[in-house]
Amino acid sequence: MTTPTYRTDFPQHCRTHPIDGMTLVFHRPSGATHFLDSPLPQMLALLAAKPMDAARLTTSLCATLGLPEDAEARAVVEARLTDLAGIGLVEVG
Amino acid sequence: MRNEDDQPEAERPAAAAPGEAETAQTRRAMLRIGALGTAAVVTVRPGIAHAAVSALTCQIPVPQSTQPNKWIKNNGDVVNPNTGNSYPPPSQPLSGEDVKNSLKYGTNYPGYTSQQTNAYNNYIKKLTMGKQGYTCYASLQSPSRQ
Amino acid sequence: MHGFDVRVGPISYRIGSAWAAPIAVLRRLYAGYPAPADGIATVTARIGPPRPWRRWIRPQVAIEGDHNLPDTVPMAFGHALLAIEMAMNMQVALGECRHLLIHASAVERGGKALIMPGDSGSGKSTLAALLAERGWRLLADEFVMIDLATGRLIPFPRAISLKNSAIAEAEARVADPARFGPHLSATPKGELRHLRPNAEAIARMDEPAEPALILFPSYGFEPASDGVSRSELFMRLTEGSTNYIALGEPAFDHVLRIVETIPAARFAYPDTDSGIAIVEQFCAEAGL
Amino acid sequence: MKDARALATALADPVSTLGLAPDGWTSLLAIARAERLDGSLAYRLADMPLPAPVARALEDARAQAEFGRTQALWEVEMARRALAPLGIAPILLKGSAFAFAGLPAAIGRVVGDLDILLPRERLDEAEAALLAAGFEWAKDDDYSQAYYRRWMHELPPLVHRDRGSMIDVHHSILPLTARRRPDAAALIEDSVEVAPGLRILSPADMIVHAATHLFADGDLAGGLRNLWDVDRLLRLFAAAPGFWARLDARARRHQMIEPVALALRLADRLFATPVEPRLAGHDRMRDTLFVRRLLARDGWGRSIRPFNRLGFYVRSHWMRMPPLMLARHLWIKARAK
């Protein structure tokens, strides 16, 4: 089974607003309001540009943030992808 | 809302050498140790009508009334009687007032030991929507949700 | 069923009780309030026996109405007035979907409103009640309503519920004893007494005000004050609201506008007098 | 206002509300809210000349219904996302189906839980996927788990950990213990795709399913709202040629001819729904018992006619399970009180 690809249409169907270094989001389809702390906005931007699997997203995220790519970074990306899928801002497959 | 100072000791970043301050800052951003504590996503949850019905007049049955003759383990799980480190449940549902005080100030439930109180509170913290007592528990917390 | 219709701000209640006595007390407490417009109450709140026999045998009082909550416990008959208040609150908390609800008290001076959010025990009701005896106009105790068309605060001046030590403080400052409800003891909230807002608050209940300052009071600590970040203010206002999510994007817009434009702070105070002094100082700085 | 008849009349014939006295309006609103039909009523009276307080209250009810619709559609989407990777296309039932397919029955309707129907052999995979997606058992005690899996037509209800929403996963539309045996495979086979990965029942099956509520859930809680669904659906579907014949055939196929006939008669009596007389059959004495139960609500919104209600409550369990089980079930529920 190939590793799942994640994609998003963020920020469509959303109202976003920067506040205290975070991104405040009103998501119209769910009617929910979320605070997104980094690295979520950066992850969403990368996925909006090109759907990717977790490995490739980790690579481009670490490149964007100027961070060494390691197992811990991969774990954080995987965990945050689950969070984003949970609130419906990211879709699997 | 969790802020910096009451963050659990384990997650506090190690003091970075001055030269790496910048990377530490980005690493901190990466590991999202931000104003919202460790949660990268915080979703606004509706305040269950605590204003309408004072939390203090509601009650929380431990465990669900559909779970007769079960005991409560110290981590809050509902188990069969006499399971290792578990306790018989309280004979009466716990009042909102007692639960609020116990969660806030650590007071024991009247007539029960601190181990029993701790087990019951762990059970209560695992309550989710739809479970008996959830509305009462939710209204005890909001708005200062820990 | 014994009934009483009354309008409190935008809410036109039909209140019912299986017993006559609680309704008689409620009529006295809400003396001077208008009847529903066109004689049509659109919100039903009621108390009744949880079981038929509980009407006579060791009577108990269940909190009911258009909207109900599963976990509520029947109350003692002696606390029927408190049960009615909670039934009235529940219909607003679960039924109101025209104005954004903020769990707070509020007073007005010069057209500008001071909003004091806080859960029970923070002292927001006591401060509002006492400020209302010093020239401020009471707008709300428990539910502040924001008009989603204009962003202005719509008054909802229901009777203030004073608890424990606050009762004596209010009794010392309010001249007219008729404005007080009966003294309820050993209620789930401790000692309790209701105070009817003064005639001015009732007469001007349809006069909105402009939100200008938000203060989070904390009763019982040494005097201290601190800023509140915009993100925390957004969280505190929305999590404390029972209808923020149901009102959708307009509610998001208004809370965002509030946190971006209205100054907010929190302060601790050991007693009511120092609390009022701190509030007056904040208000002076904010131009209220 | 002695019972909910005024609500039924107002829904069926909005003009009838023009003569309502002030306290008549108050009672109508209280009854509509208690029966969770305030949204439907609000849309039915939308362009009537109304007193200002009523107009505002109904405007609010429409806004509330709109919010409910958004939530319902989001739950459908999240369930689709959880099940699509397994190649499972759930069949949406009741409110979620009406809302997603844009049927008139959806207008103003409060949508409660999300109900879906799956082939029985896909149940375990679906259960695992929903648990992975953050759903948890609402009733996780051994008795309920065993009871649902063995006797019921659905999994025990699942509640989402964060959203608090509830989903009921069915593999048939009547409990296994019920004497009548609907043909689940036929329901699935005749279902209609309304979007990639999402299906709804065929029109005739939708009516049969709505009628099962009158029969299977026996205690008729929410019965008036359910019957209003039947009225709205029939007025739409009956326009299609041959519909009544198809409904007759499907009702027989699912051994549901009497409940469907009963639903038609009750809809006719309460909402003057145009129905096929041969299918509805002649009125029966006990129809009146159903009508009294469906209208058992007073002007304060209180449920009334306790003995009538108790009769239907016992009947609902009797329908579901053989006597011995009923006694044990009621005993456990009583002890748990």
Side-chain angles (χ1 to χ4, degrees):
Chain A
M1 221 276 271
T2 62
T3 63
T5 302
Y6 293 87
R7 50 191 172 72
T8 179
D9 54 12
F10 185 85
Q12 283 172 35
H13 316 305
C14 288
R15 289 278 307 282
T16 63
H17 191 89
I19 189 168
D20 295 349
M22 290 170 284
T23 305
L24 179 61
V25 175
F26 177 80
H27 184 234
R28 287 198 188 90
S30 63
T33 303
H34 310 286
F35 277 89
L36 300 184
D37 200 354
S38 75
L40 296 183
Q42 296 89 333
M43 287 171 64
L44 286 167
L46 291 167
L47 284 178
K50 189 159 71 66
M52 288 180 254
D53 63 18
R56 268 201 295 280
L57 179 59
T58 307
T59 307
S60 41
L61 182 67
C62 289
T64 315
L65 292 175
L67 278 171
E69 185 183 347
D70 54 25
E72 190 193 359
R74 172 65 182 273
V76 169
V77 167
E78 298 252 350
R80 292 306 144 245
L81 281 172
T82 309
D83 290 345
L84 287 171
I87 57 175
L89 286 183
V90 146
E91 207 178 330
V92 187
Chain B
M1 216 170 46
R2 288 180 47 166
N3 45 41
E4 282 291 86
D5 43 30
D6 61 5
Q7 189 179 309
E9 214 38 50
E11 287 167 31
R12 195 177 291 281
E20 297 161 359
E22 213 289 320
T23 319
Q25 173 62 18
T26 319
R27 168 63 66 182
R28 186 170 159 276
M30 179 69 174
L31 299 173
R32 16 147 200 72
I33 300 164
L36 291 170
T38 55
V41 180
V42 175
T43 303
V44 169
R45 289 271 173 272
I48 309 285
H50 61 280
V53 172
S54 151
L56 313 178
T57 66
C58 61
Q59 61 180 8
I60 301 178
V62 177
Q64 305 288 294
S65 56
T66 52
Q67 295 168 307
N69 52 55
K70 287 281 184 185
W71 282 23
I72 307 293
K73 214 166 152 210
N74 47 26
N75 66 1
D77 288 348
V78 180
V79 294
N80 291 325
N82 300 315
T83 312
N85 45 51
S86 70
Y87 308 92
S91 51
Q92 287 299 330
L94 299 173
S95 85
E97 172 77 7
D98 292 343
V99 173
K100 184 166 188 170
N101 292 335
S102 179
L103 294 176
K104 215 171 191 178
Y105 311 111
T107 50
N108 289 345
Y109 291 119
Y112 298 99
T113 66
S114 56
Q115 291 83 354
Q116 283 172 311
T117 297
N118 187 36
Y120 302 156
N121 283 341
N122 285 336
Y123 166 83
I124 290 170
K125 286 177 186 156
K126 290 183 181 174
L127 285 176
T128 52
M129 186 79 82
K131 292 270 180 71
Q132 281 171 342
Y134 171 78
T135 313
C136 184
Y137 170 54
S139 64
L140 294 179
Q141 301 169 63
S142 70
S144 48
R145 190 179 300 273
Q146 272 69 40
Chain C
M1 194 74 152
H2 305 274
F4 171 51
D5 288 9
V6 64
R7 179 168 75 84
V8 181
I11 308 294
S12 288
Y13 283 106
R14 172 183 61 169
I15 300 163
S17 160
W19 306 274
I23 292 292
V25 173
L26 195 69
R27 272 188 204 285
R28 275 197 303 280
L29 182 61
Y30 277 89
Y33 277 74
D38 305 348
I40 300 176
T42 55
V43 173
T44 293
R46 50 184 163 82
I47 55 171
R51 293 277 184 283
W53 63 84
R54 282 293 186 183
R55 183 164 176 178
W56 302 284
I57 306 156
R58 279 194 293 111
Q60 279 188 331
V61 178
I63 298 166
E64 295 161 337
D66 291 331
H67 303 277
N68 298 291
L69 265 180
D71 287 336
T72 56
V73 176
M75 296 173 70
F77 185 70
H79 301 148
L81 184 61
L82 174 59
I84 289 183
E85 176 204 347
M86 287 158 75
M88 291 168 73
N89 283 346
M90 193 190 311
Q91 304 322 314
V92 171
L94 300 180
E96 174 57 31
C97 58
R98 173 171 287 267
H99 305 301
L100 173 64
L101 291 174
I102 296 175
H103 181 224
S105 298
V107 288
E108 174 263 341
R109 188 163 62 185
K112 292 205 162 62
L114 160 65
I115 298 175
M116 291 184 284
D119 45 356
S120 62
S122 63
K124 64 178 186 303
S125 299
T126 315
L127 285 176
L130 298 183
L131 285 167
E133 299 306 313
R134 297 164 46 93
W136 293 80
R137 170 171 62 117
L138 185 86
L139 297 175
D141 167 51
E142 199 81 23
F143 289 115
V144 161
M145 297 185 181
I146 303 292
D147 181 336
L148 289 183
T150 62
R152 289 196 299 186
L153 193 153
I154 305 297
F156 175 64
R158 47 148 246 184
I160 302 163
S161 65
L162 298 164
K163 292 193 274 289
N164 305 319
S165 59
I167 297 174
E169 294 197 57
E171 284 165 345
R173 290 179 175 78
V174 174
D176 176 4
R179 282 176 54 196
F180 285 96
H183 198 110
L184 304 178
S185 48
T187 79
K189 298 185 181 182
E191 300 304 298
L192 197 87
R193 202 168 190 195
H194 290 95
L195 170 65
R196 184 196 317 136
N198 58 30
E200 191 204 359
I202 297 171
R204 296 171 54 195
M205 76 164 64
D206 296 329
E207 214 181 287
E210 196 58 46
L213 176 64
I214 300 174
L215 295 178
F216 290 81
S218 300
Y219 174 69
F221 302 94
E222 279 318 299
S225 60
D226 189 8
V228 173
S229 73
R230 287 182 303 143
S231 51
E232 183 182 355
L233 182 58
F234 191 100
M235 279 308 275
R236 297 286 296 266
L237 295 179
T238 50
E239 280 213 330
S241 168
T242 54
N243 70 352
Y244 164 75
I245 291 181
L247 293 178
E249 196 163 343
F252 173 80
D253 289 335
H254 276 286
V255 176
L256 189 54
R257 190 185 53 74
I258 290 174
V259 304
E260 298 269 282
T261 59
I262 296 175
R266 57 169 131 251
F267 70 97
Y269 65 103
D271 55 70
T272 306
D273 289 336
S274 60
I276 289 182
I278 296 173
V279 165
E280 295 282 11
Q281 189 194 336
F282 269 114
C283 291
E285 286 157 23
L288 265 78
Chain D
M1 208 167 273
K2 70 174 181 37
D3 68 10
R5 171 73 64 184
L7 173 59
T9 309
L11 285 166
D13 174 22
V15 175
S16 67
T17 61
L18 288 186
L20 272 177
D23 56 6
W25 279 113
T26 306
S27 296
L28 181 63
L29 288 171
I31 293 172
R33 286 188 189 112
E35 293 295 330
R36 306 192 75 191
L37 277 165
D38 44 333
S40 309
L41 182 69
Y43 278 97
R44 288 289 288 166
L45 304 184
D47 42 29
M48 300 288 298
L50 300 170
V54 177
R56 269 196 308 275
L58 295 183
E59 194 184 317
D60 293 352
R62 285 192 290 273
Q64 192 98 18
E66 191 43 41
F67 167 67
R69 191 173 158 281
T70 304
Q71 296 283 294
L73 295 180
W74 180 246
E75 287 304 324
V76 168
E77 173 56 14
M78 292 304 268
R80 185 196 64 76
R81 290 184 187 187
L83 298 173
L86 306 168
I88 295 178
I91 298 171
L92 306 177
L93 300 175
K94 296 199 281 191
S96 307
F98 308 152
F100 194 87
L103 295 171
I107 299 171
R109 188 183 191 283
V110 173
V111 182
D113 309 342
L114 170 57
D115 290 274
I116 59 173
L117 177 68
L118 304 181
R120 191 166 191 183
E121 60 278 7
R122 306 300 306 264
L123 227 53
D124 296 341
E125 294 167 77
E127 177 187 340
L130 291 170
L131 290 172
F135 282 94
E136 292 171 344
W137 299 116
K139 296 176 179 153
D140 52 10
D141 57 287
D142 315 338
Y143 176 77
S144 296
Q145 288 285 332
Y147 172 79
Y148 272 93
R149 288 175 194 283
R150 188 132 169 274
W151 299 108
M152 286 293 280
H153 54 307
E154 55 182 326
L155 284 176
L158 288 155
V159 175
H160 194 270
R161 179 182 58 231
D162 302 323
R163 298 195 301 276
S165 45
M166 192 174 275
I167 184 169
D168 293 330
V169 183
H170 301 250
H171 58 79
S172 175
I173 54 172
L174 266 182
L176 304 179
T177 53
R179 284 193 325 283
R180 299 172 187 279
R181 275 292 157 71
D183 182 343
L187 289 173
I188 293 167
E189 192 191 326
D190 259 31
S191 62
V192 177
E193 176 170 87
V194 279
L198 289 171
R199 312 179 70 83
I200 59 174
L201 294 175
S202 69
D205 283 345
M206 237 185 245
I207 299 295
V208 170
H209 181 231
T212 56
H213 177 78
L214 290 170
F215 187 80
D217 294 349
D219 71 356
L220 292 191
L224 196 57
R225 179 167 67 121
N226 182 263
L227 206 61
W228 176 247
D229 287 344
V230 170
D231 170 272
R232 295 292 90 188
L233 292 172
L234 281 179
R235 286 179 193 270
L236 174 70
F237 296 152
F243 170 75
W244 293 111
R246 274 197 304 283
L247 178 59
D248 183 280
R250 292 306 277 192
R252 293 182 195 288
R253 177 81 177 267
H254 295 304
Q255 304 173 6
M256 288 290 291
I257 196 66
E258 288 84 15
V260 168
L262 173 65
L264 265 51
R265 292 198 303 276
L266 293 176
D268 180 13
R269 273 179 75 163
L270 285 173
F271 300 121
T273 316
V275 294
E276 168 47 57
R278 277 196 313 282
L279 191 50
H282 53 75
D283 284 355
R284 299 239 172 63
M285 273 305 296
R286 64 187 178 85
D287 288 0
T288 307
L289 272 179
F290 280 90
V291 170
R292 282 177 58 78
R293 169 64 185 85
L294 289 169
L295 301 180
R297 182 79 59 187
D298 73 8
W300 282 91
R302 293 178 299 186
S303 53
I304 52 175
R305 299 172 182 150
F307 297 108
N308 177 300
R309 280 176 178 269
L310 181 63
F312 277 96
Y313 174 75
V314 174
R315 169 181 175 275
S316 74
H317 288 289
W318 182 270
M319 291 289 151
R320 260 198 256 258
M321 45 182 137
L324 268 180
M325 255 192 82
L326 171 60
R328 182 163 173 273
H329 182 80
L330 293 179
W331 164 246
I332 285 182
K333 289 293 174 201
R335 203 151 53 89
K337 270 256 179 327

